[in-house]
Amino acid sequence: MLIATKLAQMIVPQSKPCSASVHLVKGGQSTQVFIPNGSRLYTISQDVEQRLASLMRKKDEEGLQNELIRLGLDAPAYITNEPLQSPPLHALSLAIAQKCNMGCSYCYADQGDFGGPTKNMSLETSFKAIDLLLKDCPESGKAQLTFLGGEPLINRTGIRAAVAYAATAAKQKNIQVSYSITTNGTLVTESDAVFFEEHGFSVTVSLDGIGKDHDLNRPMKGGQGSYDKIIKNIQPLLSLQHKMQVSARVTVTPENTGLPAVLDEFIRMGFHGVGFSPLLRSSNGQNEMNREQLSALLENMIACGLNFERNVLAGKRYPFLNMVNALKEISRGTHRPYPCGAGAGYLGVSADEELFACHRFVNEEVGKMGDLNNGIQPDLQNNWLASRHVNTQEPCSRCWARYLCGGGCHHEVIEKGRTACDYIRSWLYYTIQANERLSRLKPNWNN
């Protein structure tokens, strides 16, 4: 951890925004210039670095643009200020069970019921949702259907019926439907594992650490721990996965920031991937990560990243999803005006047949997008997309990382503001450094 701590202390000030149009990333044997327009990276000489650094210190944006032109690195805008307009739907999540058997301390869904009476989604509602998803999907196209809650396996019958209906309907248009589910793991059976494997599900299990660390924030409704029960129940998932892929999602709170040991343990268990997500917004305001705690999180994330680098260089698989996903986006030059597909190609459906920007907005008026009987309301959707475009957000429009980040989770930002910018930028800065090191030391590592 000592190396990770020192690296974090160096990275945080280096990742601070100095210009909206360029950023210098130091590390390894050379300095790279990152150009937000197109998320492009170039290795530069010391002379070029000094010229760019001087212009950045002077906040001379015109001079920076002229220097990019001189270097042949200018390009037409990859992302304009124009928001998306009525994008085609390609993914839905169904709140198949608006109820839960656990009493998690921070649940965004208010203990699973989204602030209303507990209920299961009816078959009629799930079938209507699937019809909406497939209606405008082209022949031989692709669609994604996700089951969420609450705890979705409380409505196991509804899940299986919905999958059967979707598979039959999709076959008529030769549409490929992918399925996913996020579960707390307490109700998983061997029969579920067989079903998920048969249909190639992506299964995400919520696990917030090892043993008591997990139990602290994810107890059962009666207060007893859930960790041992979950680990026992998910063994068929881990042993059967082939078409199915099983990942662990760890919500990080101030009580469980010791991430390297958690990552190693869950990889040892056989999870296909392990990812961490800081708690930035909870329904009751408890256990949200503050600036100091996010600094500790960054050190732990970098420690996990350094372990990833060592394993990759040794030719070993090390499925640290935060690192894998960041490196993929950096390598592809991912650039986007939104953080995710919420309110665009992806919507959430409530048990009451209402459409929302995503699963986290169920029963929240700010994220409402229409309903299953009348479809998506273009004015609601397009106003949302215009207001959430990263170029309209502050301080995003002045940040070098804006098109990698996309502005942060809509739900968290609307509720709490941008409390994690330093953490996100610093993490991206580190992964850009790591990408350069890995590419130099193992040129074909990402193939």
Side-chain angles (χ1 to χ4, degrees), residues 34-221:
F34 178 84
I35 302 176
N37 181 30
S39 295
R40 292 173 289 142
L41 274 167
Y42 301 96
T43 300
I44 55 176
S45 67
Q46 285 188 345
D47 287 344
V48 171
E49 177 186 350
Q50 289 171 1
R51 289 201 301 273
L52 291 173
S54 175
L55 292 166
M56 291 168 71
R57 284 193 298 272
K58 297 174 184 175
K59 300 189 182 301
D60 185 354
E61 289 296 320
E62 183 179 352
L64 284 168
Q65 290 302 321
N66 289 336
E67 182 67 14
L68 292 181
I69 292 170
R70 193 185 74 79
L71 294 168
L73 302 182
D74 63 314
Y78 286 75
I79 294 175
T80 69
N81 292 336
E82 288 296 314
L84 288 173
Q85 288 279 319
S86 300
L89 183 67
H90 60 79
L92 281 181
S93 64
L94 307 185
I96 200 77
Q98 291 181 200
K99 57 179 73 170
C100 191
N101 60 337
M102 290 182 66
C104 302
S105 63
Y106 55 76
C107 181
Y108 69 82
D110 296 307
Q111 306 294 311
D113 58 23
F114 295 90
T118 59
K119 63 189 74 175
N120 283 338
M121 181 178 285
S122 69
L123 294 183
E124 179 185 8
T125 297
S126 65
F127 294 171
K128 279 186 185 179
I130 292 164
D131 288 341
L132 176 67
L133 176 63
L134 300 181
K135 178 170 67 77
D136 295 324
C137 187
E139 293 273 350
S140 303
K142 295 181 179 181
Q144 173 73 37
L145 186 62
T146 298
F147 299 97
L148 297 168
E151 170 47 45
L153 285 173
I154 288 176
N155 190 6
R156 180 180 285 108
T157 300
I159 294 171
R160 298 194 183 195
V163 169
Y165 183 85
T168 300
K171 189 174 181 180
Q172 296 172 5
K173 293 176 68 175
N174 195 31
I175 294 171
Q176 180 184 335
V177 180
S178 301
Y179 304 101
S180 64
I181 186 171
T182 296
T183 174
N184 63 34
T186 61
L187 301 177
V188 173
T189 66
E190 187 169 357
S191 174
D192 293 325
V194 171
F195 177 79
F196 296 150
E197 173 64 21
E198 177 186 355
H199 294 281
F201 266 67
S202 293
V203 181
T204 300
V205 181
S206 298
L207 280 168
D208 288 2
I210 302 168
K212 292 180 180 179
D213 287 341
H214 165 93
D215 289 340
L216 186 64
N217 285 315
R218 298 188 64 83
M220 303 300 292
K221 274 282 200 287

Side-chain angles (χ1 to χ4, degrees), residues 30 245 278 384:
S30 57
Q245 292 183 351
W384 163 275

Side-chain angles (χ1 to χ4, degrees), residues 403-432:
Y403 299 141
L404 283 175
C405 165
C409 168
H410 297 302
H411 193 258
E412 292 170 347
V413 167
I414 289 171
E415 289 287 331
K416 294 293 180 179
R418 291 186 165 80
T419 60
C421 292
D422 285 344
Y423 163 73
I424 293 169
R425 268 193 303 265
S426 299
W427 172 246
L428 289 171
Y429 190 101
Y430 162 71
T431 56
I432 291 171

Side-chain angles (χ1 to χ4, degrees), residues 216-401:
L216 186 64
N217 285 315
R218 298 188 64 83
M220 303 300 292
K221 274 282 200 287
Q224 66 271 34
S226 61
Y227 182 81
D228 291 340
K229 182 181 183 69
I230 295 167
I231 297 304
K232 178 182 177 182
N233 286 3
I234 65 174
Q235 293 311 305
L237 294 176
L238 297 174
S239 62
L240 284 176
Q241 63 179 326
H242 179 61
K243 290 166 58 181
M244 164 179 59
Q245 292 183 351
V246 185
S247 298
R249 183 187 188 277
V250 182
T251 297
V252 184
T253 67
E255 289 90 0
N256 67 332
T257 54
L259 307 188
V262 175
L263 179 58
D264 283 342
E265 174 65 6
F266 289 169
I267 290 175
R268 184 198 64 77
M269 285 184 186
F271 281 99
H272 187 267
V274 182
F276 300 104
S277 180
L279 180 63
L280 301 179
R281 186 266 177 187
S282 64
S283 58
N284 57 14
Q286 296 180 9
N287 285 329
E288 296 170 347
M289 302 283 280
N290 61 29
R291 189 179 299 272
E292 182 179 342
Q293 292 152 353
L294 286 169
S295 295
L297 172 62
L298 177 65
E299 294 174 16
N300 275 266
M301 289 288 285
I302 290 175
C304 291
L306 293 172
N307 287 341
F308 175 91
E309 292 186 58
R310 283 190 284 269
N311 277 274
V312 166
L313 292 174
K316 299 178 182 177
R317 186 174 184 272
Y318 195 75
F320 175 29
L321 291 181
N322 301 76
M323 192 77 170
V324 171
N325 293 335
L327 291 174
K328 282 181 179 178
E329 295 199 346
I330 290 163
S331 296
R332 293 170 181 166
T334 295
H335 47 276
R336 59 193 179 197
Y338 303 97
C340 62
Y346 163 58
L347 298 176
V349 186
S350 75
D352 295 321
E353 303 194 348
E354 292 186 306
L355 299 171
F356 296 89
C358 80
H359 56 283
R360 297 189 71 165
F361 285 98
V362 166
N363 287 351
E364 295 185 17
E365 196 66 26
V366 67
K368 191 170 181 182
M369 294 287 151
D371 60 70
L372 291 179
N373 291 317
N374 300 295
I376 302 169
Q377 292 187 26
D379 57 334
L380 293 178
Q381 183 182 39
N382 291 328
N383 288 340
W384 163 275
L385 291 169
S387 68
R388 302 310 308 160
H389 191 291
V390 72
N391 285 354
T392 71
Q393 308 296 315
E394 293 298 339
C396 302
S397 65
R398 291 168 281 141
C399 178
W400 63 269

